[in-house]
Amino acid sequence: MSAGSLGLGYVAGLLPLGTVMGVAVISIGKVTTSGLDGREHAGLKDAVNMARELAFKRIRMEAILRKASGVVAVDFEMQMLSEEVLEIRCAGTAVANPAAGLQTSEPFLSTLSVAEHWALAQLGYAPREIVFGFCKWHQSLGYRSSNMKLLINSEHPDFTRGLATARNLAHSRLYEQARLVKAQGVVGVVPNQEIRRSQEGMEYQVSFLGTAVSFTAPGASAHNVTPSVLIQ
Amino acid sequence: MSKAPYTQGSHEGLPAAAVQRLQEMRGAGDKPKLFTSDLSVNEFLLVKQAGFEPLGLVMGSSIYHIGIQIPGMFQNMELDVLTQAMYHARELAMTRMEEEADVLGADGIVGVRLIVNRQEWGENLAEFMAIGTAIKHRAGGNFRTPDNRPFTSDLNGQDFWTLLQTGYQPVALVMGTCVYHVAHQGFMQALKRIGRNVEMENYTQALYDARELSLSRMQAEAERDEAIGIVGARVEESSHGWGSHIVEYFSVGTAVRELRPDHVVPAPQMVLPLT
């Protein structure tokens, strides 16, 4: 944390306590699925959910031990250690609000910086939870696509539809998680997409990472802030 | 190159589940309203300050098979099959993104990025993607384009806010493209140039032609949308793996119009940053 954000953290009620982290390594049960048309990698979906929940539980536990009100600037990372082993790791800075006294509710998790929290607070929003929607989808070549003429311009109907489906599933999961914590929205969403050619077709891996926020101060409005333009 | 007609409320290009998700985000049924946005927090704040509410992250994409066109070795020419593909696929992606925004009941989309992914996974296959944040004005007002699409803009939250402050509004993300084959130089030409500084006229001419075609197509789109100008216009150059003599010139920018004919541009203020 820089000197500037330390000062801002004092104003915003986010005084740093220390780094906390949570890690979970999961072995994926069912490895592959393949279908005639398109199918989700269901085993991986469950593993991601499990790893996310475990890692969040652990980072929260560390935050509670430090009597923190939340964890900011969380770095969320997901990686495959091998074909069958998945790791989710998150680390961030535990913060406390000295004015609020002893913390009783669950600490919040957020990917945002201290400055961003201050800006959000001006709008009346408070961070709740990191949300992560994920989907890995296998799309096979359909009948229409295998008959495509090679020399002309044309959209690939099956591949396009598969990608849209994968993205929608990942996006829906982001929402479901935000709804679970009764958030009003998700800010700073970072989409990530990987496309690979597989033997039978295409493989899409789509994820959305963001911070769910809820509206806590009805009196706040964007008009409390006067933006000025910096001409450089 | 012209856009296909657009019908407001059509969601032809979207999976049924996506339409349902977007309707739920608006607060349909027993689900509470929920927004998402890929804007940074500062951009989020500025968009709200400008009177808009972010509604949702919207995306559209198309995986497109690009046809084949073989140019003559010593010929400067536009490869219209490829130009057509690059334009059509981007337009499909844009339209799907606009359809998503319409399901959310948005006035327009800010922070639009157009991305072309072409990797080893597909010979002649490319993924075209459009992504941005759909927003709606709290007080209402007409922000749609003349052909009734939601407005689109590749400006970020800061630029969007500044544009509105100065009395302009974005109309549409306008684009033009041209894929061009630059002729190889002949043996005699190469021979004449040995040891001398000379302009390579056919190369210069080719690049000029291609850029000019691309820019004029972007301008034609802005004229069609009854804009008074294009801000943030730029020309991107890429060969998308076609080899060294085939280049795409892609022009893109945000076409703008005046909010009111008598708008005033506020005087700039001096700010001295401490960092």
Side-chain angles (χ1 to χ4, degrees):
Chain A
M1 205 181 257
S2 69
S5 40
L6 183 65
L8 197 57
Y10 189 81
V11 179
L14 302 166
L15 272 188
L17 300 171
T19 303
V20 287
M21 69 181 292
V23 184
V25 180
I26 302 289
S27 156
I28 304 158
K30 270 185 303 176
V31 176
T32 321
T33 53
S34 63
L36 266 180
D37 183 23
R39 197 179 291 179
E40 184 174 13
H41 194 317
L44 184 57
K45 178 194 89 178
D46 295 339
V48 168
N49 270 337
M50 197 171 157
R52 177 177 53 83
E53 279 166 16
L54 275 173
F56 283 1
K57 200 169 133 191
R58 286 169 188 159
I59 193 174
R60 273 214 168 84
M61 213 104 94
E62 287 196 17
I64 290 170
L65 287 173
R66 285 177 177 271
K67 299 193 169 50
S69 57
V71 187
V72 301
V74 173
D75 204 11
F76 181 97
E77 247 176 81
M78 177 188 130
Q79 62 171 340
M80 301 295 291
L81 298 180
S82 77
E83 284 278 287
E84 289 140 44
V85 182
L86 163 88
E87 183 199 6
I88 284 185
R89 185 190 332 171
C90 50
T93 305
V95 291
N97 185 358
L102 197 65
Q103 195 61 41
T104 48
S105 59
E106 279 230 304
F108 68 83
L109 298 181
S110 159
T111 56
L112 307 172
S113 70
V114 168
E116 287 175 322
H117 281 111
W118 183 82
L120 267 185
Q122 304 309 303
L123 291 171
Y125 288 101
R128 295 298 303 268
E129 175 77 298
I130 296 173
V131 283
F132 180 67
F134 176 87
C135 177
K136 185 167 183 176
W137 184 270
H138 300 270
Q139 182 68 43
S140 320
L141 264 177
Y143 170 73
R144 278 186 299 171
S145 313
S146 36
N147 280 343
M148 272 173 65
K149 298 198 175 61
L150 282 174
L151 295 176
I152 59 161
N153 286 332
S154 53
E155 182 172 53
H156 207 301
D158 297 308
F159 286 172
T160 304
R161 186 165 41 84
L163 179 58
T165 311
R167 199 150 62 203
N168 185 53
L169 279 171
H171 215 152
S172 310
R173 285 168 194 156
L174 186 87
Y175 289 119
E176 287 316 314
Q177 290 167 32
R179 285 214 174 90
L180 268 179
V181 294
K182 299 199 164 49
Q184 266 85 50
V186 184
V187 297
V189 177
V190 183
N192 195 343
Q193 183 172 299
E194 271 173 47
I195 303 181
R196 237 177 265 120
R197 192 78 192 238
S198 70
Q199 273 182 341
E200 321 93 69
M202 289 285 221
E203 226 175 60
Y204 310 109
Q205 185 168 313
V206 189
S207 70
F208 295 97
L209 177 71
T211 298
V213 295
S214 53
F215 195 60
T216 49
S221 108
H223 296 280
N224 298 342
V225 180
T226 315
S228 59
V229 179
L230 209 59
I231 296 157
Q232 285 162 328
Chain B
M1 281 191 297
S2 66
K3 282 190 180 174
Y6 182 82
T7 329
Q8 187 180 350
S10 145
H11 32 69
E12 239 174 279
L14 310 181
V19 176
Q20 195 196 339
R21 168 178 60 82
L22 293 162
Q23 280 166 347
E24 283 176 5
M25 282 175 66
R26 290 185 74 171
D30 53 346
K31 306 270 180 159
K33 260 169 94 165
L34 187 85
F35 70 84
T36 53
S37 130
D38 66 336
L39 299 173
S40 72
V41 171
N42 286 348
E43 290 178 274
F44 181 72
L45 196 142
L46 287 169
V47 165
K48 287 193 92 139
Q49 236 264 352
F52 287 86
E53 286 297 328
L55 299 179
L57 176 68
V58 285
M59 292 168 111
S61 69
S62 172
I63 293 185
Y64 203 88
H65 177 271
I66 300 168
I68 290 173
Q69 188 173 19
I70 297 160
M73 188 74 168
F74 302 107
Q75 221 178 345
N76 268 338
M77 61 181 282
E78 181 179 9
L79 302 176
D80 53 332
V81 173
L82 303 188
T83 301
Q84 194 61 46
M86 299 305 282
Y87 186 85
H88 184 221
R90 283 192 184 99
E91 198 216 324
L92 284 172
M94 283 276 288
T95 302
R96 283 167 194 157
M97 178 185 69
E98 287 160 359
E99 285 176 350
E100 283 203 359
D102 257 341
V103 181
L104 284 172
D107 286 328
I109 309 161
V110 290
V112 174
R113 277 105 65 214
L114 285 172
I115 299 161
V116 182
N117 263 321
R118 200 162 175 192
Q119 286 152 358
E120 73 282 358
W121 45 259
E123 277 168 71
N124 305 318
L125 272 184
E127 188 222 351
F128 295 78
M129 177 162 80
I131 175 169
T133 292
I135 61 175
K136 183 178 179 57
H137 198 276
R138 276 192 287 273
N142 182 24
F143 293 93
R144 300 187 86 86
T145 66
D147 62 344
N148 214 22
R149 288 166 186 263
F151 82 79
T152 43
S153 156
D154 62 348
L155 299 178
N156 61 20
Q158 288 85 345
D159 285 344
F160 177 67
W161 183 85
T162 313
L163 187 75
L164 289 168
Q165 293 305 304
T166 49
Y168 296 95
Q169 69 176 76
V171 188
L173 184 80
V174 286
M175 58 190 185
T177 184
C178 175
V179 182
Y180 206 89
H181 176 260
V182 182
H184 292 252
Q185 64 170 347
F187 178 67
M188 288 311 285
Q189 268 179 311
L191 209 61
K192 270 190 244 165
R193 285 183 182 132
I194 291 174
R196 291 203 291 161
N197 284 337
V198 223
E199 180 172 27
M200 306 186 62
E201 284 104 356
N202 53 344
Y203 283 13
T204 309
Q205 197 56 48
L207 300 190
Y208 244 105
D209 280 353
R211 199 162 9 213
E212 203 47 54
L213 279 166
S214 165
L215 276 166
S216 60
R217 284 167 189 160
M218 174 179 72
Q219 274 176 31
E221 284 206 357
E223 280 159 24
R224 182 208 56 203
D225 288 334
E226 295 157 26
I228 58 149
I230 304 170
V231 298
R234 59 195 184 277
V235 185
E236 289 164 7
E237 213 182 297
S238 172
S239 72
H240 301 290
W242 284 310
S244 59
H245 279 255
I246 300 178
V247 192
E248 184 203 21
Y249 282 91
F250 177 60
S251 314
V252 61
T254 294
V256 298
R257 65 179 177 222
E258 288 163 315
L259 279 165
R260 279 199 316 274
D262 59 339
H263 73 95
V264 197
V265 178
Q269 264 182 333
M270 171 116 158
V271 175
L272 205 58
L274 285 171
T275 47

